Amino acid sequence: MALLTFLGATQQVTGSCYLIETHDKQKILLECGMQQGNDNNNSNGDNGQATNSSFRFNPEHIDAVVISHAHIDHSGMLPRLVAEGYRGPIYVTDATSELLEIMLLDAAHIQEKDTEWENRWRARKGKRPIAPLYVTADAERALKQRKAIDYHTSVEILKGVELKYYDAGHIIGSAIVELTFHEPNNSTRRLVFSGDLGNTCTPLMRTPEAVKQADVLLLESTYGDRNHRCTEDTLDEFAAILQKAHKEGGNVMIPAFSVGRTQDILFHLGRFYREGRLPQHVVYLDSPMAIRANAVYFRHHDKFDKENLAMLKEHNIESLEDWLPIIKQTPRPEDSMDINHTKSGAIIVAGSGMCNGGRIVHHFKHNLWRPECHLVFTGFQARGTTGRAIVDGVDSVKVLRDDIAVRAQVHTLGGFSAHAGQSQLLDWIRHFDNSPELYLIHGETDKMHVLQAKIKQELGWDAGIPELGDRIAI
């Protein structure tokens, strides 16, 4: 029988990674995510090395890698894996393959630049330099190992192991993973990994597909303790925040993940613009990665939700500028720095989504301390991130080694989440014809316990909560 070891996203929401060993000792790595966040309120100055520096296995011994989607907490360690000797295929969907080219090269660039900046500071302090987790050449090598397959296509990735993807509805190209293991006694065992399941209210994306058979099920639980507000209520609150910021004369900062959340936010802002509910005079998209990702989204528009796709076609929308004419995209650093001269009337959408880096932190230096400005969180903030510290109410945060007061008005809009809420998770697992052996992953412990109890109450199923390093039979 196959064995699975939990190596990441156990009782936390980042660093997704699971090692599978088949009956004949073949090894599959399911996900290769980067650990995001740390035990402090902000960067601990090690550029992420402390939590991402080593694997709990030998990359040279891995035979195949399977990735559910392109977000860095699911794919961000692929260049490191290749740098340490992995030479096999990396299985992805076609849209994920395109997004990985954007995200991994960007992540490598950030690693290089952040390390360069960090080492200049260390040199002044007489400290030893550090090395980046990986460099651009490592990302380029990883990208050469991509192997894209379509949804619903069964592919034998190793002898006796078949892979099939289903649409997870989370971001473009996101997938539910089904692995079928053919055992020597002619029996089969099926592992289903939910990946990140999409919020059914998310624009553009389709509802996560139902899967009906599994022997072992790994279920994400990011929002296992709550349901999201309905979309229209959230949009009304969002519109009210924008009106308030306009009246008070400040800017609006929206830290957003460059792939997924940014596209959702821009879709809603475009809708506000067309309905006359957008008082700001300019929307800055200050994320080179998001700008490139938008093009991928439009290339794969056939995978959009049918209703929203029909609306875009009705208005002959072929680009983001068609949908939101007041958008100003700022790919170059000097374009980004020019935003600092705008003191009011702007919406600034920038990464990173959890505020531990990216261009949003530079906008914090110019806006976070101003009480007339507004900071709108539209996504989950993991423990140990700057975003989580702000949501939890700290008075100041360290940004690029400077303490910045948090005086801007802070808002959290959970209805924008691209993750399924509790009832949506329950509805999805109800589709299984049997009662699979169920394990909760990709969530914080308290939220897992709430979902665990709810599953027991409503379905009568037991759900395990594994710890790092736990091993189970498939």
Side-chain angles (χ1 to χ4, degrees), residues 92-102 146 148-151 167 171-174 203-206 259 263 292-306 308-309 312-313 317-318:
V92 292
T93 66
D94 54 352
T96 295
S97 179
E98 290 190 44
L99 289 175
L100 280 181
E101 185 163 353
I102 297 169
R146 290 170 295 172
I149 64 175
D150 295 330
Y151 291 132
D167 192 344
I171 62 171
I172 202 77
S174 61
L204 302 179
M205 294 298 95
R206 297 176 181 175
V259 178
Q263 287 72 37
R292 295 192 294 272
N294 289 338
V296 176
Y297 265 67
F298 274 95
R299 276 200 297 277
H300 291 273
H301 66 272
D302 59 307
K303 296 181 176 67
F304 286 178
D305 169 80
K306 291 182 180 179
N308 288 318
L309 178 59
L312 294 175
K313 286 183 175 180
I317 304 300
E318 296 182 358

Side-chain angles (χ1 to χ4, degrees), residues 77-333:
M77 290 299 287
L78 286 172
R80 179 80 179 208
L81 188 77
V82 169
E84 293 192 14
Y86 177 65
R87 295 294 179 264
I90 298 170
Y91 289 96
V92 292
T93 66
D94 54 352
T96 295
S97 179
E98 290 190 44
L99 289 175
L100 280 181
E101 185 163 353
I102 297 169
M103 300 190 75
L104 295 184
L105 290 175
D106 184 83
H109 177 74
I110 290 172
Q111 290 290 327
E112 291 167 341
K113 291 299 181 183
D114 284 357
T115 301
E116 180 183 338
W117 185 90
E118 173 72 17
N119 283 339
R120 286 202 300 266
W121 178 85
R122 285 174 173 261
R124 293 195 300 269
K125 300 293 183 180
K127 295 188 175 184
R128 296 174 60 183
I130 60 172
L133 285 171
Y134 49 79
V135 296
T136 298
D138 300 323
E140 290 172 341
R141 281 193 291 268
L143 292 169
K144 291 178 181 178
Q145 295 170 221
R146 290 170 295 172
K147 188 173 181 60
I149 64 175
D150 295 330
Y151 291 132
H152 312 135
T153 301
S154 291
V155 174
E156 186 175 52
I157 61 171
L158 294 174
K159 183 180 178 181
V161 182
E162 292 181 8
L163 166 66
K164 184 186 287 188
Y165 283 133
Y166 300 88
D167 192 344
H170 175 60
I171 62 171
I172 202 77
S174 61
I176 299 158
V177 177
E178 178 186 89
L179 288 169
T180 301
F181 300 88
H182 298 275
E183 302 292 333
N185 59 3
N186 293 322
S187 66
T188 60
R189 297 285 290 175
R190 185 172 287 119
L191 167 71
V192 171
F193 168 55
S194 70
D196 284 354
L197 291 177
N199 180 353
T200 56
C201 298
T202 299
L204 302 179
M205 294 298 95
R206 297 176 181 175
T207 297
E209 289 190 273
V211 182
K212 295 188 176 182
Q213 291 291 330
D215 296 295
V216 176
L217 172 61
L218 307 184
L219 178 67
E220 74 121 312
S221 53
T222 311
Y223 287 98
D225 63 335
R226 75 191 86 163
N227 291 315
H228 303 307
R229 296 176 59 192
C230 76
T231 303
E232 291 306 316
D233 286 349
T234 300
L235 290 177
D236 288 343
E237 183 180 354
F238 187 28
I241 293 168
L242 300 180
Q243 290 288 345
K244 189 172 189 288
H246 175 66
K247 291 177 182 177
E248 294 174 349
N251 291 323
V252 178
M253 296 171 288
I254 305 178
F257 299 106
S258 299
V259 178
R261 192 62 44 79
T262 291
Q263 287 72 37
D264 293 347
I265 293 299
L266 296 176
F267 178 84
H268 291 309
L269 291 175
R271 180 177 155 188
F272 287 167
Y273 176 84
R274 292 173 174 274
E275 295 172 351
R277 290 203 288 169
L278 189 60
Q280 280 73 19
H281 59 76
V282 61
V283 175
Y284 289 105
L285 177 55
D286 192 26
S287 168
M289 187 196 301
I291 293 168
R292 295 192 294 272
N294 289 338
V296 176
Y297 265 67
F298 274 95
R299 276 200 297 277
H300 291 273
H301 66 272
D302 59 307
K303 296 181 176 67
F304 286 178
D305 169 80
K306 291 182 180 179
E307 181 181 345
N308 288 318
L309 178 59
M311 181 173 61
L312 294 175
K313 286 183 175 180
E314 179 185 349
H315 291 92
N316 296 315
I317 304 300
E318 296 182 358
S319 69
L320 178 59
E321 292 84 356
D322 291 341
W323 182 243
L324 182 57
I326 63 170
I327 194 164
K328 184 173 182 180
Q329 303 184 67
T330 54
R332 301 180 306 166

Side-chain angles (χ1 to χ4, degrees), residues 350-372:
S352 67
M354 296 186 191
C355 310
N356 263 28
R359 292 183 177 182
I360 193 66
V361 298
H362 295 277
H363 298 300
F364 280 2
K365 294 189 72 170
H366 294 272
N367 295 278
L368 190 61
W369 51 272
R370 300 170 57 204
E372 70 273 21

